[in-house]
């Protein structure tokens, strides 16, 4: 009992969240994570097979993504669970609540849309989305389309975010401006 309390208190002193500890535990078990990855702590990682997960540099995970290196659908029938590696290459973006299944490689500079179920590998430089995920566009085309949209869309700097201390008046203004539009925020 005393050990659990001491561990809890030390977590608070170091500002380490349970999610960060989960990522660290997976790394200690063999999961590979590159430099400057963002959002991994808000993901659900397959701890039971985390050493089969490889993440490159500059990968961003939106909240509540799932990385599953196993699929137990075969267990009842074969008495074995299907397992395979997950590889997420450099500069990929994984959207909120996306599910990456065993055997999938997400290529460099790829984007996985929010809520997607990714059962097949994603080519480098492509945007995929849906259930099951399908190719939507090349990443470069997608980004260029949004760059062009920014010329006529509402664009907000950092002060228009929670971290930038957005005010209630600014929240209302942004809400009105985005009634029938897509905007962009720093």
């Amino acid at each position: 009992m005393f050990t659990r309390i001491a561990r809890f208190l030390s977590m608070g002193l170091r500002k380490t969240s349970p999610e960060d500890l989960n990522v660290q535990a997976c790394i200690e078990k063999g999961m590979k994570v590159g430099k400057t990855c963002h959002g991994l702590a808000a993901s659900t990682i397959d701890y039971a097979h985390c050493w089969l997960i490889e993440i490159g540099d500059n990968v961003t995970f939106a909240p509540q993504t799932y990385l599953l290196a196993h699929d137990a659908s075969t267990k009842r029938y074969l008495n074995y669970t299907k397992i395979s590696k997950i590889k997420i290459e450099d500069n990929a973006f994984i959207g909120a609540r996306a599910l990456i299944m065993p055997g999938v490689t997400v290529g460099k500079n790829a984007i996985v849309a929010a809520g997607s179920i990714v059962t097949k590998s994603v080519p480098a430089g492509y945007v995929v989305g849906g259930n099951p995920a399908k190719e939507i566009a090349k990443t470069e085309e997608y980004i260029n389309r949004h760059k062009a949209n920014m010329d006529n869309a509402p664009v907000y700097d950092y002060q228009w975010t929670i971290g930038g201390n957005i005010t209630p008046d600014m929240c209302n203004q942004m809400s009105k401006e985005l009634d029938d539009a897509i905007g962009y925020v720093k």
Side-chain angles (χ1 to χ4, degrees), residues 32-37 55-58:
K32 293 177 180 71
V33 179
K35 300 175 200 148
T36 61
C37 288
I55 300 166
D57 296 336
N58 306 311

Side-chain angles (χ1 to χ4, degrees), residues 130-169:
N131 179 8
K134 295 184 181 353
E135 290 178 14
I136 296 171
K138 288 187 174 184
T139 303
E140 186 176 4
E141 293 167 356
Y142 174 78
I143 297 303
N144 286 339
R145 196 168 40 237
H146 284 281
K147 279 183 186 175
N149 287 348
M150 289 177 72
D151 291 339
N152 299 314
V155 177
Y156 306 94
D157 63 22
Y158 181 73
Q159 74 179 16
W160 291 81
T161 68
I162 297 285
N165 295 318
I166 190 169
T167 67
D169 287 339

Side-chain angles (χ1 to χ4, degrees), residues 99-131:
L99 170 60
I100 311 298
M101 293 295 289
V104 167
T105 295
V106 176
K108 289 182 180 182
N109 301 308
I111 296 173
V112 175
S116 297
I117 310 292
V118 186
T119 59
K120 294 186 169 118
S121 291
V122 178
Y126 272 85
V127 179
V128 299
N131 179 8

Side-chain angles (χ1 to χ4, degrees), residues 2-13:
F2 177 76
T3 306
R4 281 192 290 177
I5 293 169
R7 188 170 51 231
F8 175 77
L9 290 173
S10 70
M11 281 178 18
L13 294 173

